[in-house]
Amino acid sequence: MVTLLHFWKNAGRPFVRRCVTAHRGGGFLHALSCFKERWSTKCHYFVHIGNCIVLLAINQKDMLQLRSLSVTASLFGIAYNLLQPSPLWAPAAWGGFFISCHLYYIAQLLRDRVGITLDADHEAAHGRIEEARCGTFICRKGEPKKWVHYLLDGKVMLIDGSEDKVVNIVPGKGSWLGEFFDPAEPEDHWATPHFHQVSFKCIAPRCRLLTLEIDSLHRAIREAGLAEAATRAEISDLWGKLRGSHHEHRRNTYSAMLELAVADGKVDAKEVELLNKWKARHRVPEEDHEVKLAELGWTAEEFASGQRDPTRRGPRPLPKYRPCCSPTA
C-alpha cells in the first residue's frame, strides 16, 4: 500500500494534471493518447492492482461487495489489455461482457434489498411480508382460513387431503395460495369460521409471501368496486394452476404405474417397456423414477434385473438428490 501511494504521488498525480491540461487544449482523444503513451510502459501495474482486487473480492462474504470488486478488477484487466503495444481486443471484449453480467446481478441484489412499502389497499387488509424456510407449512388442511397468501419468491407445494402433491406453485400466474376472492359468496360469508381444504408447504430454501387478512381483503375489494377485476384475476390464477398441474398429473400417474408394476415383487419385460415409453413420452425425470423405487423398497439394479432381492428387507436409502421436502415430511 505504501508503494502504491508513493507511485501515485511521484508519477500518477503529475501525469493526471498533464492529461487534464491536454484535454482542455487538444480534446479528449489527445488526452486518451497521452494516457496510453504514459502508461503503456507501466501497464503491469494494472495487472498487479487488478489481481489484488480479485484476491480481496474472493474473500468477501457479501455477494454485493464481491461483484462490485469483480467489476473493478475487470476494469483494470481491460486497461491492461488495451495498453499493450498491440491492443488485445478479444480479452478486453470478454472483460466487458463479464462486467455486464456482474452489473445485471448487482441490480438484482439491490432490488432485493429495497424495502417494500404497502399501499393503502394492502394496509386495509392488514398486509405484511412474511418469509418461510424449506419444509415449513404455510397453512395446513383443517386449519382456520383467516389469511390468504401470494407467493413473491420461492416455490410452494400444494398438497391435497390425501397427502399427495398436486402441483408446485412458483411466482407468476397462479401464485395465490388459496382462493382470494369469490364473487358468488354473500357479504357475511366470513362471519362464520372456514377451514383450509388443502395444505401449502415451502419447498425452496426461502419462500417470500405477501400475507393478507382474507375478510378485510374481501371487504376492501367490494367497497372499492373492484369485484369484477378481482374475479378476472381469480380466473387467471386458476388457469395458471391448471397448466402447472398438467405435468404433475403425468408424473403422479407414472408413480402409480410403477407402484402397480412392482407390487408382486417382479417386473416383466412388457411392464418395463410400457414404463419406459410413458417416462420418455411425458419426460418424467430419472430422478423421480429412482426416488419412487427407493420409496417402494427397490433398487435400480433390482428393477433392471426384473426381480427384488428377497433377502434384503426394510426401506432402501433414498438418492442424494431427493427434494428437500416431501408431502409427508
Side-chain angles (χ1 to χ4, degrees), residues 183-243:
E185 67 187 21
E187 294 186 5
D188 60 348
H189 178 75
W190 295 104
T192 57
H194 293 80
F195 303 90
H196 289 286
Q197 301 300 312
V198 296
S199 301
F200 293 97
K201 184 177 184 180
C202 176
I203 57 171
R206 184 191 71 160
C207 293
R208 198 156 166 258
L209 309 144
L210 170 63
T211 299
L212 302 167
E213 187 180 44
I214 192 165
D215 185 19
S216 300
L217 174 64
H218 283 213
R219 286 201 308 270
I221 290 173
R222 293 184 185 279
E223 291 171 2
L226 298 174
E228 184 177 349
T231 301
R232 290 198 299 268
E234 176 71 22
I235 294 172
S236 177
D237 184 75
L238 291 174
W239 272 111
K241 287 184 173 65
L242 181 61
R243 284 198 298 270

Side-chain angles (χ1 to χ4, degrees), residues 51-303:
N51 285 331
C52 289
I53 296 175
V54 169
L55 183 62
L56 180 63
I58 63 178
N59 285 282
Q60 299 297 313
K61 294 182 179 179
D62 183 84
M63 186 59 66
L64 182 60
Q65 294 178 6
L66 187 151
R67 290 192 178 277
S68 300
L69 290 171
S70 297
V71 169
T72 306
S74 295
L75 289 173
F76 276 91
I78 291 174
Y80 171 77
N81 289 317
L82 296 182
L83 287 173
Q84 299 300 312
S86 296
L88 303 176
W89 294 106
W94 276 108
F97 174 74
F98 295 144
I99 287 175
S100 64
C101 292
H102 284 303
L103 290 176
Y104 172 79
Y105 285 105
I106 285 173
Q108 297 290 320
L109 291 169
L110 291 174
R111 186 192 66 181
D112 291 342
R113 295 187 181 191
V114 173
I116 296 179
T117 302
L118 300 177
D119 59 26
D121 291 335
H122 290 163
E123 291 177 354
H126 305 288
R128 62 177 184 270
I129 301 299
E130 294 184 331
E131 291 190 359
R133 294 183 177 181
C134 184
T136 303
F137 276 92
I138 298 166
C139 57
R140 289 178 180 267
K141 179 180 179 296
E143 291 181 345
K145 186 187 293 185
K146 184 178 180 182
W147 304 92
V148 63
H149 310 273
Y150 183 83
L151 182 63
L152 299 171
D153 187 28
K155 184 183 291 187
V156 170
M157 180 191 296
L158 190 160
I159 306 167
D160 64 15
S162 59
E163 295 296 314
D164 291 325
K165 180 180 74 173
V166 177
V167 64
N168 286 338
I169 299 173
V170 296
K173 187 177 291 186
S175 296
W176 284 99
L177 308 185
E179 182 183 84
F180 71 92
F181 183 75
D182 182 359
E185 67 187 21
E187 294 186 5
D188 60 348
H189 178 75
W190 295 104
T192 57
H194 293 80
F195 303 90
H196 289 286
Q197 301 300 312
V198 296
S199 301
F200 293 97
K201 184 177 184 180
C202 176
I203 57 171
R206 184 191 71 160
C207 293
R208 198 156 166 258
L209 309 144
L210 170 63
T211 299
L212 302 167
E213 187 180 44
I214 192 165
D215 185 19
S216 300
L217 174 64
H218 283 213
R219 286 201 308 270
I221 290 173
R222 293 184 185 279
E223 291 171 2
L226 298 174
E228 184 177 349
T231 301
R232 290 198 299 268
E234 176 71 22
I235 294 172
S236 177
D237 184 75
L238 291 174
W239 272 111
K241 287 184 173 65
L242 181 61
R243 284 198 298 270
S245 65
H246 185 60
H247 183 61
E248 294 296 334
H249 173 70
R250 292 175 174 177
R251 296 170 70 174
N252 293 338
T253 300
Y254 179 80
S255 295
M257 293 170 61
L258 183 59
E259 186 173 355
L260 183 62
V262 303
D264 59 354
K266 297 180 180 180
V267 183
D268 59 39
K270 286 290 185 181
E271 290 173 326
V272 173
E273 181 182 2
L274 178 62
L275 288 167
N276 287 337
K277 284 183 178 180
W278 179 276
K279 183 170 62 173
R281 184 186 310 142
H282 300 294
R283 300 179 182 179
V284 177
E286 187 65 24
E287 300 174 3
D288 288 9
H289 170 76
E290 295 190 14
V291 168
K292 186 62 180 180
L293 279 178
E295 290 176 349
L296 295 171
W298 284 63
T299 64
E301 293 76 14
E302 291 171 340
F303 182 79

